[in-house]
Amino acid sequence: MNSNKKLKQLYLVRRIILVTLVLFVVVVVIMNAANFSADNFKRFTAEIRSAFQGSAAEQVDLTENSLSQTGVFKNGIVRLAPNAVTVYGKDFTKYSSHTVSLSTPVLRVSKNFILAFDRGGSTAYVLDSFRILHTFTGLDTLVNAGISDDGHLFMITQKYGYKNNLTVYNSAFQDVFTWDATEHYLLDGVFCEKNTIAVCATDIDTGQIAMNTFVYRINYQTAQQTDVQSLTDSMYVSCAVGNDQAVRVMTDKGIFRVPAGSVETIVAFDGAEVGKFDLSETYMAYVKISDLATARQSLTVLDASGKALFEKEFYQITDLIVTPKGCFVLTPEALTLLDYHGQEVSSVQTDGTAVQVCWAEGNIVLIYADRAQKIDITQ
């Protein structure tokens, strides 16, 4: 009788656990309905399996290679080396690892897709957390490329007889627009308004021996150039789209807001030497070299409108990122979290060898040459 009673109790406990797990899954799916996809569901089930197996980790070894790059993908990271792309979850669960062949690997990541391409080569890969979705081979020499959250891609390639070429692909990897540039060298791009890509280009003004930056707006659905703006005597550095869909362009002269039809100066560098920087939808940050002799550096953080929120001195900033939680600043001594009033929220000591800090949906990860490590700093 005792044995039967124990078996019934065990069966009841298992039923309770199963029902609880099912309810948990249903609640999570409902709460994340807007982000629900086959890839996200597979990640979710993999995280549950990892939790039950006790395989979650606070650190993972990475292949050490000077050409390797690390990016944030969803709540984990992706590591690109010349011969492999590896995707990890929030507890460093390895979701996938794929063999690739890239001489000069470049990593681009959007909310839903990973793009790995060979700058100076002819190959590119599009992936999610578990699969290679498409492989481009036999391309003209790649200059740059990017991918949007919905899977649209652009590729800038060299083309004989022209400055270079821009091709836009849809999420089915079919080319929907191509442009052979004749006036300026195309450098980079970013998807902005619906069916629109902003393309940054450059030329050299031989009369003044100066470099200029141009921002084209192209509707790739109608194949129309809708706008072009110029930033004279400026060398292109980076671009991003703000939460107002206006393009923000960083050059050696400053940061500019470039909506259709105008150019607005957000901040002028006034000859200062600028090092690390980060541009997000809602915040911007950059580092000026304030004293070469002592390696003192000045961090300036601005909101989306360009209003300076604070300025703070540091010694030798290794990396920085702006996030919804605040601004993370990595130095050889520590990782520091600042709020957007410039106040220190928390700080943890580091060993001086970390090279990058990543924000993965609330998870803080430090990247070293040979490993990645989760850091608890936001408490």
Side-chain angles (χ1 to χ4, degrees):
M1 289 292 293
N2 256 351
S3 296
N4 286 337
K5 190 174 181 181
K6 286 181 180 178
L7 283 172
K8 286 180 179 178
Q9 288 175 339
L10 181 60
Y11 177 73
L12 181 61
V13 168
R14 290 178 62 184
R15 286 290 298 273
I16 291 171
I17 291 173
L18 180 60
V19 170
T20 303
L21 183 59
V22 170
L23 286 172
F24 175 70
V25 171
V26 170
V27 169
V28 169
V29 169
I30 291 171
M31 290 178 65
N32 295 277
N35 298 318
F36 187 78
S37 67
D39 186 65
N40 287 341
F41 184 75
K42 288 177 71 176
R43 289 175 69 102
F44 174 65
T45 55
E47 287 172 7
I48 290 177
R49 187 165 56 250
S50 172
F52 275 107
Q53 293 173 347
S55 56
E58 297 298 308
Q59 181 173 303
V60 66
D61 292 335
L62 301 174
T63 302
E64 189 171 356
N65 187 297
S66 60
L67 294 175
S68 294
Q69 297 182 25
T70 305
V72 172
F73 187 55
K74 300 188 177 182
N75 63 355
I77 61 171
V78 54
R79 178 76 162 185
L80 173 64
N83 61 351
V85 182
T86 307
V87 184
Y88 299 92
K90 68 174 183 178
D91 294 318
F92 298 127
T93 303
K94 185 188 288 188
Y95 291 147
S96 64
S97 187
H98 301 282
T99 299
V100 298
S101 180
L102 304 171
S103 298
T104 309
V106 179
L107 179 65
R108 297 284 186 263
V109 181
S110 70
K111 288 182 180 178
N112 298 307
F113 299 96
I114 299 163
L115 172 64
F117 69 93
D118 195 3
R119 177 166 287 152
S122 59
T123 304
Y125 304 86
V126 181
L127 310 91
D128 63 12
S129 303
F130 300 91
R131 302 171 295 159
I132 294 180
L133 302 174
H134 191 76
T135 302
F136 292 89
T137 58
L139 298 166
D140 290 329
T141 304
L142 278 159
V143 176
N144 212 342
I147 191 163
S148 69
D149 294 342
D150 66 3
H152 278 72
L153 298 100
F154 75 85
M155 293 189 187
I156 298 172
T157 58
Q158 294 181 5
K159 188 167 184 179
Y160 180 75
Y162 299 91
K163 300 294 187 183
N164 47 18
N165 170 270
L166 169 74
T167 301
V168 177
Y169 300 85
N170 63 19
S171 56
F173 313 113
Q174 300 165 327
D175 59 296
V176 294
F177 173 78
T178 187
W179 174 34
D180 294 325
T182 57
E183 292 187 54
H184 304 126
Y185 293 96
L186 310 181
L187 300 176
D188 201 358
V190 61
F191 291 98
C192 43
E193 296 98 342
K194 184 178 180 181
N195 300 327
T196 302
I197 183 171
V199 183
C200 296
T202 190
D203 73 348
I204 296 177
D205 187 332
T206 53
Q208 299 181 11
I209 317 178
M211 186 171 286
N212 306 305
T213 297
F214 300 86
V215 183
Y216 290 90
R217 265 182 150 76
I218 297 170
N219 185 313
Y220 53 82
Q221 194 75 26
T222 61
Q224 290 181 317
Q225 178 185 306
T226 59
D227 187 51
V228 60
Q229 299 296 323
S230 62
L231 305 170
T232 56
D233 190 20
S234 63
M235 184 183 298
Y236 173 79
V237 176
S238 184
C239 66
V241 174
N243 53 12
D244 58 357
Q245 295 302 300
V247 179
R248 286 161 177 77
V249 178
M250 182 173 175
T251 74
D252 62 331
K253 295 298 190 294
I255 302 174
F256 304 88
R257 183 175 180 270
V258 190
S262 65
V263 175
E264 304 164 11
T265 301
I266 293 176
V267 60
F269 293 152
D270 296 326
E273 184 178 345
V274 174
K276 296 291 181 178
F277 66 92
D278 191 27
L279 307 178
S280 77
E281 291 185 351
T282 48
Y283 296 101
M284 297 166 280
Y286 65 93
V287 175
K288 292 188 296 186
I289 312 300
S290 52
D291 191 331
L292 288 172
T294 62
R296 296 296 299 178
Q297 299 177 343
S298 175
L299 167 69
T300 301
V301 178
L302 310 97
D303 66 15
S305 69
K307 177 185 175 183
L309 301 178
F310 69 86
E311 188 170 320
K312 201 173 186 71
E313 293 284 320
F314 282 90
Y315 169 79
Q316 197 175 334
I317 295 176
T318 306
D319 194 22
L320 67 93
I321 51 172
V322 286
T323 76
K325 203 76 175 179
C327 181
F328 290 86
V329 182
L330 177 64
T331 68
E333 294 82 24
L335 174 65
T336 303
L337 171 60
L338 304 171
D339 66 21
Y340 285 111
H341 300 289
Q343 300 301 310
E344 182 176 310
V345 177
S346 55
S347 181
V348 294
Q349 289 188 330
T350 62
D351 64 4
T353 61
V355 296
Q356 183 182 352
V357 56
C358 295
W359 164 272
E361 295 183 6
N363 298 307
I364 310 302
V365 180
L366 284 183
I367 307 299
Y368 299 80
D370 60 350
R371 70 189 189 278
Q373 180 182 6
K374 285 178 66 175
I375 298 294
D376 184 9
I377 188 175
T378 58
Q379 299 301 319

